[in-house]
Amino acid sequence: MRVLRTLGVAGAALALAGCGLITPAASPTPIGRSKVGFNLLSPTIPGTNHARVRFETEPIFIVDAAHHLSATSRIVPSPPSIATVVGQLLAGPTAIERSAGFTSALPSDLVLIAATVRRHVGYVDLSGSLTELPRAEQLLAIGQLVLTAAYVGATQGLQISLAGAIQSLPLPSGGHATVLTVAEYAGLLNG
């Protein structure tokens, strides 16, 4: 009985293995445009009133292995907004970046509530506080936000609030401020 069961399982395995046997082609096989369905080759989004989505790359700043801020890029919808770019920053480093030693000083459970830019000042409202971090990590986290926001229009500074309450945050040179500028955090950059 045991032999018959083993032979039956082996026969079924061979039969199933034969079903998946597809010999690879030496080169890709072109498919004619007329055979691609669902209007997938259209320059607009199928099923919409000629809507288009364009993407571009924007820099975000993460922490390198030497504990400096380093720029990397993310693909975001065009035109980029502070909300989409900061959202990408809060998502943290990619698997490839993590394997190269990159990290984020921002807490992993931090959630972006709102973000906007008015008169070249960025306003970011977060769900958690950065003041609970050790000072060195706190400066890197703030630097990540300030430098990233500057590339999407917050060139005159960034104001960070916690659930609507404006935060007075530390500066690398000492002291505290409610509007944080790129010039104050540029010293944290790698190179």
Side-chain angles (χ1 to χ4, degrees), residues 23 29 52 69 117:
T23 58
T29 305
R52 294 176 182 246
L69 297 180
V117 176

Side-chain angles (χ1 to χ4, degrees), residues 12 15 24 42 45 50 64 69 71 75-76 84 88-89 95 97 99 115 136 138-139 142 151 157 172-173 183 186 189:
S42 172
I45 301 170
H50 305 292
D64 65 14
L69 297 180
I75 297 173
V76 296
T84 57
Q88 288 293 313
L89 176 65
E97 291 165 344
S99 70
Q138 187 178 22
L139 291 173
I142 296 165
Y151 277 89
S173 60
L189 288 168

Side-chain angles (χ1 to χ4, degrees), residues 31-139:
I31 299 173
R33 292 183 68 83
S34 63
K35 294 188 180 193
V36 177
F38 304 108
N39 207 17
L40 294 176
L41 297 177
S42 172
T44 60
I45 301 170
T48 66
N49 190 12
H50 305 292
R52 294 176 182 246
V53 177
R54 298 187 192 273
F55 295 94
E56 62 183 72
T57 58
E58 282 294 316
I60 65 165
F61 289 83
I62 56 178
V63 181
D64 65 14
H67 296 293
H68 292 97
L69 297 180
S70 186
T72 187
S73 61
R74 293 291 186 271
I75 297 173
V76 296
S78 180
S81 71
I82 189 171
T84 57
V85 176
V86 170
Q88 288 293 313
L89 176 65
L90 293 179
T94 64
I96 293 172
E97 291 165 344
R98 283 192 303 273
S99 70
F102 290 95
T103 60
S104 177
L106 294 162
S108 60
D109 61 347
L110 200 60
V111 176
L112 178 66
I113 297 172
T116 188
V117 176
R118 291 188 307 269
R119 294 190 178 119
H120 304 286
V121 175
Y123 298 89
V124 172
D125 193 18
L126 302 171
S127 66
S129 177
L130 300 175
T131 58
E132 298 166 2
L133 298 171
R135 180 170 167 78
E137 292 293 313
Q138 187 178 22
L139 291 173

